[in-house]
Amino acid sequence: MRQSRVYTAQPLLPADNIELEEPASHYLARVLRLSEGDPLILFNGDGRDYSAEISGIRKKRVLVRVLDSKDSANESPLKINLVQAICRGERMDYVLQKATELGVFSIQPVNSQRVEVRLDETRQAKRMLHWQRVVISACEQSGRACVPAVQTPLSLPEWMASAGVSPRLVLDPFAQSRLSDLSVTAGSISILVGPEGGFTGEEMAKARASGVMPVSLGPRVLRTETAGPAAIAVMQAKAGDL
């Protein structure tokens, strides 16, 4: 029987006794209805899984005893940074969830001319907290113990101007080169995905001028929320991760 996996932001060490945060406590005690002595797995993003058991339940908080730890050993040898043009509501959640399940290393949201979602400072802070919770939930489900970082949104020109030695690709249905034809080994790579409606011709020209290589996923045009996960799956398969 698969044990429940729960994220905590706290430092974890074998033999520690800790009190879980309210959301995790509610999930374990009220949703799963676990009891004292039941086993579970904790992780805090350091790359290790921690075996634990419930040592007590006090009103809205669950107490746990950490037993031991082990390296999760399921991270990809290829560090993929998904550079995703911000899309609406559940579509962005889907991208973050599936990218995390597929082993993405980090996510960089970007704004471009055809992005329909415009966030002021307050809305952006709230949205980023929500996005990180989506990623954590996907880690709990998929068995990952490293939590991908969701970076502060950048404008497309800001991202293009950022220096980096790793290859940078942009998905373009009209590109001559196919993503599946690239040679991929362990290392780092960035994949830029456009918004609903795609990048403008001017944006694509500037991307190419800044060293971003256009690649195609094949003969069909994918939705913005489908393209990123599909590209990650191709890269992971070529890197030997899937």
Side-chain angles (χ1 to χ4, degrees), residues 7 9 43 61 65-66 87 102 104 117 130 168 189 220:
Y7 173 81
F43 70 100
R61 289 300 172 98
R65 180 182 301 108
V66 182
C87 44
L102 288 164
V104 76
V117 180
H130 171 74
R168 299 194 295 177
I189 193 166
R220 291 168 295 280

Side-chain angles (χ1 to χ4, degrees), residues 85-92 110-120 123-124 127 131 153 195-196:
I86 298 172
C87 44
R88 291 175 289 180
E90 292 183 358
R91 292 186 177 185
M92 191 69 177
V110 292
N111 285 293
S112 65
Q113 292 184 36
R114 290 175 178 161
V115 165
E116 298 181 2
V117 180
R118 300 298 173 182
L119 303 173
D120 58 28
R123 289 185 64 208
Q124 178 172 289
R127 191 63 61 88
W131 288 340
E196 301 166 63

Side-chain angles (χ1 to χ4, degrees), residues 18-20 22 24-38 40 53-65:
I18 65 170
E19 183 179 281
L20 293 178
E22 193 280 330
S25 294
H26 174 82
Y27 175 69
L28 294 173
R30 306 302 177 191
V31 178
L32 298 182
R33 298 187 180 278
L34 298 186
S35 305
E36 185 174 338
D38 284 340
L40 67 151
E53 66 177 15
I54 295 176
S55 57
I57 298 177
R58 297 177 182 173
K59 294 184 178 179
K60 294 184 178 181
R61 289 300 172 98
V62 170
L63 308 178
V64 299
R65 180 182 301 108

